[in-house]
Amino acid sequence: MAITGVEALLDMLSEFGVEYIFGNPGSTELPLNDALAIDDRFEYILGLQEVPVMAIADGYSMASRKLGVVNLHICCGLGNAMGMLYNAYREGTPLLVTAGQQDRRLMFEEPILGGDMVSVARPWTKWSVEVQRIQDLPSAIRRAARVALTPPTGPVFMALPVDLQMELADDLDLSPIKLIDNRVRPPQEALRQASALLLQASSPLILAGSRVNEAGGCEALVQLAELLGAPVISESGTTHGRLVIPPDHPLYIQGGLPLWSPDVLARLEPYDVVFVAGMDMLRQYIYHEPSCPIPEHVKLIHLDEDPWQIGKNYQPEVGLVGHTREGLEELVTLVRTGQDDTQRAKAEERSQQITAANQAARNQLDEEIDRQRGTTPLTPLCAMEAIARVLPAEVAVVEEAVTTTNTTLERLGALKTTTGYFGHRGWALGWGLGVSIGVQMAWPERPVIGILGEGAAMYGIQGLWTAARYQVPVTFVICNNAQYHILKLCARTLQLPQAQQGTFKGLDIVGPEIDFVSLARSLGVEAHRVEDADSLSDHIREGISSDKPLLLDVSISRGLGDRLNYG
C-alpha cells in the first residue's frame, strides 16, 4: 500500500511511543498538519512562536526522558527557535527537531523561505540532515531517534522538503526504531585506581552534575558519598540543571560551586581528591585571574559517558569513560569492600563535621530571612521562603530567575526529591516558561511551579496561550524587579566604570513597566499582583491545587548588590 512521506513519519513515531508533536506551522509544514487532522494517535500542541514551542518540547523530554518531537516552520521558524535549540544542546535533551523545506523542484531558483537549514542547525545538534529521497526517510527517522537518545544525548535536526512529505511510495521499510543498550561500565582497572585514590584521600569531595540524575545514578552517588563521608557540591549556576542528591541530605553542601575561578579555587582548596561525575568541568562565565580554578594539589577523578568532557580542560588522575550510573554502582561496591575500619571511622567523623557545618549554615540563613521579614517590596530571600513554606514534597520547580532564587530553595531543604528541579543550563532566555509547561505535560500528577524573571519571561510569554489552550495547570511566579538584574551585577563584576557608579543604559524595564496581570489575562491565564509573603504563599497553595494555569506577578526589591554571588 502506497503511503506519503508524512504518513511514514507518523507511523514510525507512533510505533515508537510518541504522543505529542509540538509545533508552529507554516506553508512548508501543512502536509503534516493536514495528516494530523484525522490522526488521533497524536496531540498536536500549538505554540504561537517557536521559542515556547521548543522550550515546551525541551521540558517534556527532560521530564519524561522520551524523544521530544518538534515541528518548526522553514528557515525563519528555525531561526526563531535557535536560542532554545542551543539550550537543548547544552542540556543534552533528546529532541527530534523537524522543519519543512521548499519543494525540491524550486530549489535551483533560490525560492522564498528556502535555505541551508542543515548548516544552520549543525553546530547545536548531534546530527543534522535534509532528506532528499523518500526511500531514505525511514532510515533517517531510525537514525535520528537513535542518535538523540544515545549518550551523550542531544537534539537532532531533520529538514523535510514539502514535496517529499506529499510523495507516495509503496516500498518503504517501516521497521521499528530500536535503541542500543548503552549501559557500559568503565574499565575495571580504572575503577580500581579510582577506588584506591578515594579510599586513601584524607579530605575527599564529590562534584556532581546533571548527567548523574539523567542516567539514574543519584541513589548510587548518595551511597558513595555516605561511604566516604564526602561532601557533595553541585554545578555552579551556569550549568546547575538537575539535582543529584536531595537538598536536605546532610552531606549536600549548600549553594553549589561559585561562579568565578578565584572563588572556585578557594572552595576546592581544603580537599585532596575530587571525584567529578556527570558534569562539565567547568563552564566558566566571566574571566578572572587566576584562570585555573583547580588547586595544584588536588587529584581529579572524572566519570562521564561523554568522553569529550573528561580531561577537556583539566587533566584527571583517573578518567572513567562509561555510563554514569553503572560506574557509580561499581565504585560503591569497590569502596565498600575495600574500606577498612580506620577508613570507616574517618568517614563517619567527616560526615559529622559536614552535618554540623550544614546545620550552622541553615541556621544562619533562617536568621537572615527573619531579619528581612516585613520588607516591602519582598527581598529575594523572603520571596523564596514564602514559596518554600508551602511546597509539597512531590513538586517540580523550573527556575529561570537566578538572581532571585540563588539556590535558596535548596539551602532551605524545601526540595525533597532529586527529580523535581530544572535549572537553566544554556542561558538563552525564554526557556523557563515553556519548560514548565512541558514538565507539567510529562508529569500531570505532580504540581509544577515556574519561577521566572520578568525579563526572561518576556522572551517566551506567548507560551501562556498554550498553557491556557490545553489547560496545563502550571503556577508561573514572575519575580519582578523591573530590570535585567544579572546584567547589572555582571557589569560591576567586569568593573565597568559607569556600572561602578550605578549608571546603566538599556538595563531597566521601565517607562512603561510591564503589566503582567493584564498580559496574562489577555492570553487566557488568570493572574494576580502579589506584594507580601503571606499573600504569595496563599496564591501558591491556590495554584498547585488548581486544574488551570495561574500567573503571579511578584514585586521584588530593586536594590543592587556589589557582586553576583552563587554558592
Side-chain angles (χ1 to χ4, degrees), residues 235-237 240 255-259 402 406-407 410 421 564-567:
E235 298 164 298
S236 66
H240 182 44
L257 276 181
L259 289 173
V402 64
N406 201 26
T407 71
E410 293 168 56
Y421 175 81
L564 176 60
N565 293 309
Y566 190 100

Side-chain angles (χ1 to χ4, degrees), residues 65 91 151 153 206-225 232-235 239 241-246 275-280 302-306 322-329 331 418-419 425:
R65 298 312 293 168
E91 296 155 356
T153 59
I206 296 174
L207 294 182
S210 298
R211 286 190 291 277
V212 174
N213 182 309
E214 290 156 351
C218 295
E219 182 179 347
L221 184 133
V222 170
Q223 291 173 0
L224 182 64
V232 179
I233 299 180
S234 67
E235 298 164 298
T239 52
R242 306 299 304 278
L243 297 179
V244 295
I245 186 171
F275 174 61
V276 184
M279 169 180 158
D280 297 353
H302 196 160
L303 164 66
D304 210 296
E305 50 250 39
D306 184 357
H323 191 273
T324 303
R325 187 186 71 240
E326 297 294 322
L328 283 166
E329 290 175 348
L331 273 177
T418 55
T419 58
R425 279 179 270 178

Side-chain angles (χ1 to χ4, degrees), residues 68-91:
V69 179
V70 183
N71 186 241
L72 306 173
H73 192 26
I74 195 171
C75 298
C76 47
L78 176 62
N80 287 338
M82 286 302 288
M84 298 303 104
L85 182 62
Y86 176 80
N87 286 340
Y89 178 68
R90 283 300 198 182
E91 296 155 356

Side-chain angles (χ1 to χ4, degrees), residues 61-284:
S61 181
M62 279 195 292
S64 68
R65 298 312 293 168
K66 295 180 180 179
L67 183 70
V69 179
V70 183
N71 186 241
L72 306 173
H73 192 26
I74 195 171
C75 298
C76 47
L78 176 62
N80 287 338
M82 286 302 288
M84 298 303 104
L85 182 62
Y86 176 80
N87 286 340
Y89 178 68
R90 283 300 198 182
E91 296 155 356
T93 306
L95 298 179
L96 170 56
V97 181
T98 64
Q101 177 61 284
Q102 263 288 13
D103 193 304
R104 289 167 293 181
R105 294 164 294 187
L106 283 176
M107 289 306 291
F108 186 74
E109 298 181 14
E110 299 183 2
I112 189 168
L113 298 176
D116 182 5
M117 291 185 287
V118 170
S119 296
V120 171
R122 182 176 288 122
W124 296 340
T125 54
K126 288 185 67 181
W127 185 50
S128 183
V129 67
E130 182 170 306
V131 182
Q132 289 294 320
R133 298 193 322 136
I134 192 170
Q135 289 78 13
D136 295 329
L137 179 59
S139 180
I141 296 166
R142 286 189 290 269
R143 187 185 302 179
R146 192 177 303 119
V147 169
L149 288 160
T150 299
T153 59
V156 297
F157 174 76
M158 185 183 301
L160 300 172
V162 65
D163 58 314
L164 180 140
Q165 296 176 50
M166 298 185 290
E167 183 177 349
L168 283 165
D170 58 7
D171 58 347
L172 298 182
D173 173 13
L174 299 184
S175 55
I177 300 165
K178 295 181 179 179
L179 301 181
I180 299 166
D181 189 338
N182 55 70
R183 295 171 298 168
V184 179
R185 66 162 174 77
Q188 196 66 42
E189 180 57 31
L191 286 164
R192 282 194 289 266
Q193 291 174 15
S195 173
L197 263 180
L198 289 169
L199 287 170
Q200 294 162 11
S202 61
S203 185
L205 170 70
I206 296 174
L207 294 182
S210 298
R211 286 190 291 277
V212 174
N213 182 309
E214 290 156 351
C218 295
E219 182 179 347
L221 184 133
V222 170
Q223 291 173 0
L224 182 64
E226 291 174 346
L227 281 170
L228 295 169
V232 179
I233 299 180
S234 67
E235 298 164 298
S236 66
T238 51
T239 52
H240 182 44
R242 306 299 304 278
L243 297 179
V244 295
I245 186 171
D248 57 354
H249 192 284
L251 293 178
Y252 185 50
I253 299 298
Q254 298 185 13
L257 276 181
L259 289 173
W260 322 122
S261 61
D263 300 336
V264 175
L265 190 68
R267 179 66 66 87
L268 300 183
E269 182 66 29
Y271 305 101
D272 58 345
V273 175
V274 175
F275 174 61
V276 184
M279 169 180 158
D280 297 353
M281 189 70 186
L282 299 157
R283 276 198 232 145
Q284 296 195 64

